[in-house]
Amino acid sequence: MSAGLFGLLDDVAAIARMAAASVDDIGAAAGRATAKAAGVVIDDTAVTPQYVHGIAAERELPIIKRIAIGSLRNKLLFILPAALLLSQFVPWLLTPILMLGATYLCYEGAEKVWSRITGHDAHAAPVAEKGEDAEKYMVTGAIRTDFILSAEIMVIALNEVADQPFLPRLIILVVVALVITAAVYGVVAGIVKMDDVGLSLTQRSSAFAQRLGLGLVRGMPHLLSALSTIGTAAMLWVGGHILLVGTDELGWHAPYGVVHHWEEAVHHVGGVGGVLAWLINTAASAVIGLAVGAVVVAIMHLAQRVKGRSRQPS
């Protein structure tokens, strides 16, 4: 009886050790997958603050919260199940779907560039929409853009752990979704509330705190404006890069081959070769993104004109 009990305890201990090792493996894999998607996380962080630029201070955090919840819903309820099912049964569909999303991202970025050139913001909430309606419009736009970035994050993470069994793969991707969403929108919340922190510091008795606070108050509008520009560039860069890599995976190797040749040409430059190669890839991706986005913008504007003319009374 005692021998059987000790044998059972040994089995339980072995199972516990296996479970602990499995948890460690999942944690390590989740860390690798999160790090692999870090570039897109930075893009997501740069894109989001523009949606609360110019909003009343008391509405900034509620709007960011709504966008964060929408982002998490995107990842867990839509992107994750779809990505797992596609990777399990029709993995060849992942690349074309991701490229469609990238084309939309290029369109968003090119539309913003066109808006700055013409002075007309096509993504601004209609004048008739105020208060809750305007917030809903902005949140919807932010969540729609986040969907594309989140899709790339999750697909990158999925590719990193594709060799894992289904259940550990699912757990890893859920961890990645939670960690990345918390990181992105935690940083965004900190950025947009930094001017309030600065205002609080200006009311302190310390001269250093007052100078620091005044610097934050004066600097934050410039930072938010810079982030808006970075966010637009990030849309073009990320979208163009997805298209560049996707065309290569689908069999059209020429564009990626040219960019890769340029990268190889500077890769061995002493000390800065890796940086130069990254800059070339990024610049080429952004140019591709802008070109594709400009074509889509032209098509959309033409379609809107034709639609407007068809509605005019004859």
Side-chain angles (χ1 to χ4, degrees):
M1 178 70 176
S2 60
L5 177 60
F6 282 120
L8 177 61
L9 291 176
D10 284 341
D11 290 341
V12 170
I15 292 172
R17 285 195 297 272
M18 289 176 61
S22 178
V23 169
D24 288 341
D25 291 342
I26 287 174
R32 290 195 304 273
T34 303
K36 194 76 173 180
V40 189
V41 173
I42 293 170
D43 298 338
D44 205 358
T45 307
V47 167
T48 306
Q50 63 187 290
Y51 289 99
V52 295
H53 185 50
I55 298 297
E58 66 272 11
R59 296 304 306 157
E60 289 174 342
L61 290 184
I63 289 176
I64 291 172
K65 179 181 177 182
R66 289 170 65 182
I67 298 173
I69 292 172
S71 175
L72 195 58
R73 186 170 60 244
N74 281 343
K75 293 182 180 74
L76 296 182
L77 299 185
F78 301 110
I79 298 170
L80 178 55
L84 286 172
L85 288 173
L86 288 173
S87 66
Q88 196 74 18
F89 299 108
V90 280
W92 57 270
L93 263 181
L94 279 174
T95 297
I97 290 174
L98 200 56
M99 290 176 70
L100 283 175
T103 302
Y104 175 79
L105 207 57
C106 294
Y107 161 71
E108 283 276 297
E111 183 69 68
K112 289 181 181 297
V113 173
W114 177 249
S115 298
R116 292 192 182 190
I117 293 173
T118 61
H120 173 66
D121 189 357
H123 292 280
V127 176
E129 292 185 354
K130 301 294 182 182
E132 189 66 26
D133 290 335
E135 285 189 12
K136 184 178 180 180
Y137 186 93
M138 283 184 292
V139 169
T140 300
I143 293 174
R144 188 169 57 242
T145 300
D146 173 89
F147 187 92
I148 308 302
L149 293 170
S150 292
E152 194 195 6
I153 289 169
M154 298 307 290
V155 170
I156 290 172
L158 176 62
N159 289 336
E160 186 67 16
V161 297
D163 59 334
Q164 296 284 337
F166 182 83
L167 185 57
R169 199 188 327 158
L170 173 62
I171 295 172
I172 289 166
L173 292 177
V174 169
V175 171
V176 169
L178 292 172
V179 169
I180 284 179
T181 304
V184 167
Y185 290 98
V187 171
V188 169
I191 289 172
V192 300
K193 297 307 291 182
M194 196 60 69
D195 53 348
D196 292 342
V197 173
L199 187 61
S200 176
L201 288 174
T202 60
Q203 299 171 356
R204 299 286 181 88
S205 57
S206 167
F208 174 76
Q210 290 177 0
R211 286 196 299 271
L212 177 61
L214 188 59
L216 289 174
V217 170
R218 290 177 175 174
M220 285 312 297
H222 300 292
L223 175 60
L224 289 175
S225 179
L227 282 175
S228 179
T229 301
I230 293 170
T232 300
M235 290 180 186
L236 298 171
W237 164 34
V238 173
H241 185 72
I242 296 172
L243 294 175
L244 181 65
V245 174
T247 53
D248 184 65
E249 291 180 359
L250 293 179
W252 187 25
H253 305 298
Y256 186 86
V258 170
V259 175
H260 184 67
H261 176 72
W262 291 343
E263 289 181 83
E264 287 294 317
V266 301
H267 193 74
H268 301 292
V269 176
V272 294
V275 175
L276 290 176
W278 179 85
L279 287 174
I280 286 174
N281 188 292
T282 300
S285 298
V287 169
I288 291 170
L290 182 59
V292 172
V295 171
V296 179
V297 167
I299 293 172
M300 293 297 292
H301 285 194
L302 180 61
Q304 288 171 2
R305 287 185 180 181
V306 171
K307 186 176 179 181
R309 289 175 182 174
S310 66
R311 288 183 176 180
Q312 291 178 357
S314 56

